[in-house]
Amino acid sequence: MPAGGEEGMMAQLTPVVKWLLFLNIGIYLVDAFIFGERIRNFGAFAIGSAMYEGRLWQFVTFQFIHGSVPHILMNSIGLFFFGPWMERWWGSMQFLLFYLISGIGGALFFTILVFFGMLPQDGIYTPLIGASAGLYGILVGVAVIAPSLQVALLFPPITLTMRQLALALMAISVGSILLQFGGNEGGEAGHLGGAIVGFFLIQSAVWSGRERSSTRGLGGAFSPKRGPRQDIEPKIRPRTRVDLRGQSHIDEILDKISQHGFQSLTDDERDLLHQAAKNEKDRP
């Protein structure tokens, strides 16, 4: 995202994403330099402790614990760039629930694969940590809503659409699990589980039908939730008769998001993009 004037990159962050970054980085530093990884031992998810010993909080706490600087760095970069997109689309509370539920889905999918003997771990006390499961849910969510949105990668230095990026990451996770290479099959199971849960949540009529909070300027602040709006339907209904697949205006909106961020869209552009995504989902 380009920065201009007083609006730097940090100003583009949304409230929940800021807190997630603060908590993830803060917990890692405190645990590594003060508590000697006692927080990690207490909060990491393991099948034995979470399910057999009743430490159910680990389904959530493991998402805020990281094992190394590269681990926390990569997850923070992903949250920094993709988290605000989803939070602006849905609003802060729904985004937070989506993120945490996707993370829980990663732990559950990891558990299922261990029970079915599809992971090489030799015990039910193998720990699972990191924000990656929730992050993969976000990546899939953005890929479903805006599949043509382009992403320029630093390594390798190529440009992919969000759909291509999501499919590539899913292929890596599946290949790692099935072929047992890379040494992080458990983590890849968490990634894949978060992506699967994120996909079903984004497809759910209950979630996709909720109103997204509107932004107030480039700072990314949100207006309070106003509940379901009955006046939206008449504004959107005429557009359902238009074949949005053939409209170049959708591509123009996606280009605008790529260059200036989601917050640069007008209310009409957000509604049109939302309707296009809905029509794409409902297309036979």
Side-chain angles (χ1 to χ4, degrees), residues 63 65 114 140 236 240 261 278:
Q63 302 179 48
I65 300 173
V114 169
V140 169
I236 294 180
T240 62
K278 183 178 179 182

Side-chain angles (χ1 to χ4, degrees), residues 137-174:
I138 292 173
L139 291 173
V140 169
V142 177
V144 171
I145 295 172
S148 299
L149 185 65
Q150 294 192 337
V151 180
L153 302 181
L154 296 177
F155 182 81
I158 59 176
T159 299
L160 300 175
T161 66
M162 278 304 305
R163 175 180 289 167
Q164 292 170 335
L165 177 61
L167 290 175
L169 293 174
M170 296 307 97
I172 292 173
S173 295
V174 172

Side-chain angles (χ1 to χ4, degrees), residues 208 233 236 240 273-283:
S208 62
E233 185 65 21
I236 294 180
T240 62
L273 185 61
H274 179 68
Q275 187 63 36
K278 183 178 179 182
N279 282 15
E280 180 72 19
K281 181 184 70 174
D282 295 337
R283 188 192 307 172

Side-chain angles (χ1 to χ4, degrees), residues 27-222:
I27 289 173
Y28 172 75
L29 294 176
V30 168
D31 196 36
F33 295 103
I34 298 178
F35 289 105
E37 296 188 351
R38 288 197 294 271
I39 295 178
R40 175 177 175 176
N41 296 333
F42 175 80
F45 174 84
I47 298 172
S49 58
M51 303 187 71
Y52 294 165
E53 298 176 13
R55 302 181 186 180
L56 298 180
W57 62 82
Q58 293 180 351
F59 279 97
V60 174
T61 55
F62 88 93
Q63 302 179 48
F64 298 91
I65 300 173
H66 294 80
S68 65
V69 172
H71 192 199
I72 183 67
L73 180 62
M74 294 303 296
N75 283 340
S76 296
I77 290 174
L79 276 174
F80 183 94
F81 284 106
F82 296 104
W85 205 102
M86 288 300 297
E87 186 173 347
R88 291 187 179 101
W89 180 265
W90 263 337
S92 296
M93 182 56 67
Q94 190 171 348
F95 166 75
L96 178 60
L97 290 174
F98 174 84
Y99 173 82
L100 294 177
I101 292 173
S102 294
I104 293 171
L108 290 174
F109 192 71
F110 168 81
T111 301
I112 292 172
L113 294 191
V114 169
F115 282 161
F116 279 90
M118 298 181 65
L119 292 177
Q121 281 81 2
D122 57 0
I124 61 173
Y125 285 94
T126 301
L128 186 69
I129 57 174
S132 300
L135 175 58
Y136 270 59
I138 292 173
L139 291 173
V140 169
V142 177
V144 171
I145 295 172
S148 299
L149 185 65
Q150 294 192 337
V151 180
L153 302 181
L154 296 177
F155 182 81
I158 59 176
T159 299
L160 300 175
T161 66
M162 278 304 305
R163 175 180 289 167
Q164 292 170 335
L165 177 61
L167 290 175
L169 293 174
M170 296 307 97
I172 292 173
S173 295
V174 172
S176 177
I177 295 170
L178 294 181
L179 302 178
Q180 297 186 6
F181 68 85
N184 187 35
E185 294 84 358
E188 296 295 348
H191 299 169
L192 193 57
I196 292 171
V197 171
F199 176 80
F200 281 107
L201 286 178
I202 205 77
Q203 298 289 339
S204 169
V206 175
W207 284 71
S208 62
R210 292 182 185 176
E211 179 198 4
R212 303 176 309 281
S213 295
S214 59
T215 57
R216 294 196 304 260
L218 295 177
F222 294 96

Side-chain angles (χ1 to χ4, degrees), residues 9-30:
M9 294 186 70
M10 292 301 296
Q12 304 297 326
L13 290 179
T14 46
V16 171
V17 171
K18 285 181 182 179
W19 273 105
L20 290 175
L21 290 172
F22 174 78
L23 288 173
N24 287 341
I25 296 172
I27 289 173
Y28 172 75
L29 294 176
V30 168

